[in-house]
Amino acid sequence: MDKTGKLILVPTPIGNLQDITLRAIEALKNADMILAEDTRVSLKLLQHLEIEKRLVSHHKFNEHKTVNTIVQQIEMGSLVALISDAGTPAISDPGFLLVRACVENNIEVECLPGPTALIPALAVSGLPTEKFVFEGFLPQKKGRQTRLKFLAEEERTIILYESPFRLVKALNQLATFFGEDRQTCVCRELSKLFEEVKRGTLKELEDYYTQHPPKGEIVIVVGGKKAK
Ligand code: SAM
């Protein structure tokens, strides 16, 4: 790997440490600087990989301020790796601002292929995979109903990230806007010891998770509206 300045987005495991790729390890070893969302979380990963590197904090509360300095460092020849707490940086995680700044400054950006929660969830859902939309997290309060109303007309498979505390409420609201019978898949704790994949209608899944309050991390995959 050459040492000319560039930004490399390095996906990290979403649960199972064995999901780190050989190229991700190499990129972390070769980096002059590793930017991490939460340095305490990433330090554990680096210790597991036996990589001794200084981690620099890069999260949604400081990224606006630090982007220009990072761009300057890359322009001076630094190889900068960006990691988030889990999965692919810039996907419902910090990264977009830095990538955009690099692109605007003609800096090379590379993203290694690797772990992310949305693709395994879609692939395992049994719902059509040919066309899909990734919505990330729905707005928690303002704009939530408007977004749900808009998505009710979506014909492609819809992928959402949701917290376990709001899962039942989300399934209930999705049923209200999309209809109770819409086929859905809830993926919980993907790649982890207690991985669970539940398929059914929105109503069936709402009933199930009302009776079995979920823990852990969740992706909801909802079938699109039937085309007329
Ligand atoms: N950058 C990450 C990615 O590439 O998927 C996403 C980060 S986002 C802050 C975290 C959300 O991703 C969680 O709230 C959950 O919705 C989803 N997620 C992450 N890991 C997961 C897992 N192991 N199982 C199910 N969902 C997961």
Side-chain angles (χ1 to χ4, degrees):
M1 193 179 281
D2 63 33
K3 276 280 199 176
T4 50
K6 73 172 167 183
L7 173 69
I8 310 186
L9 309 186
V10 182
T12 55
I14 59 164
N16 189 325
L17 289 178
Q18 301 213 40
D19 290 335
I20 191 91
T21 69
L22 297 175
R23 289 185 70 209
I25 296 171
E26 192 196 5
L28 294 174
K29 280 186 177 157
N30 287 335
D32 296 310
M33 189 204 303
I34 301 177
L35 304 173
E37 187 184 4
D38 183 335
T39 52
R40 290 162 305 180
V41 172
S42 297
L43 185 62
K44 284 188 196 144
L45 177 71
L46 291 200
Q47 281 170 345
H48 171 79
L49 299 172
E50 296 179 354
I51 297 173
E52 279 185 37
K53 278 270 156 86
R54 195 170 67 93
L55 289 164
V56 177
S57 175
H58 184 80
H59 46 66
K60 64 180 173 186
F61 303 108
N62 74 358
E63 60 179 343
H64 286 270
K65 287 189 196 142
T66 53
V67 157
N68 288 342
T69 317
I70 300 163
V71 164
Q72 281 165 12
Q73 280 176 296
I74 303 175
E75 280 174 333
M76 287 191 292
S78 289
L79 194 55
V80 173
L82 172 65
I83 55 179
S84 62
D85 290 354
T88 300
I91 303 301
S92 294
D93 265 342
F96 161 66
L97 287 182
L98 182 56
V99 172
R100 183 176 63 181
C102 288
V103 170
E104 284 169 358
N105 287 279
N106 294 317
I107 289 170
E108 188 184 345
V109 182
E110 187 182 2
C111 179
L112 301 185
T116 187
L118 69 119
I119 296 298
L122 172 68
V124 82
S125 69
L127 294 163
T129 55
E130 200 180 35
K131 292 184 179 138
F132 60 90
V133 285
F134 173 59
E135 278 287 314
F137 293 97
L138 285 170
Q140 277 185 38
K141 289 191 184 118
K142 199 166 165 278
R144 190 173 172 99
Q145 306 251 334
T146 313
R147 198 70 207 148
L148 285 164
K149 205 169 161 188
F150 176 82
L151 288 173
E153 297 305 312
E154 178 57 63
E155 292 179 359
R156 294 167 293 182
T157 301
I158 302 157
I159 308 169
L160 300 159
Y161 283 170
E162 192 50 280
S163 113
F165 312 108
R166 284 190 297 271
L167 177 64
V168 170
K169 183 179 159 205
L171 292 170
N172 176 277
Q173 290 178 322
L174 287 164
T176 304
F177 283 87
F178 294 16
E180 291 185 343
D181 292 338
R182 190 75 73 87
Q183 283 300 315
T184 297
C185 176
V186 172
C187 298
R188 200 170 62 79
E189 297 286 82
L190 288 167
S191 82
K192 301 188 199 176
L193 193 58
F194 297 106
E195 174 169 324
E196 176 185 70
V197 176
K198 285 267 165 217
R199 303 176 186 85
T201 63
L202 281 166
K203 177 81 175 84
E204 285 165 348
L205 292 170
E206 183 193 341
D207 289 348
Y208 176 82
Y209 284 109
T210 303
Q211 283 159 30
H212 305 86
K215 284 188 187 148
E217 299 192 280
I218 287 163
V219 185
I220 309 175
V221 187
V222 192
K225 185 181 179 182
K226 290 249 163 11
K228 282 189 188 126

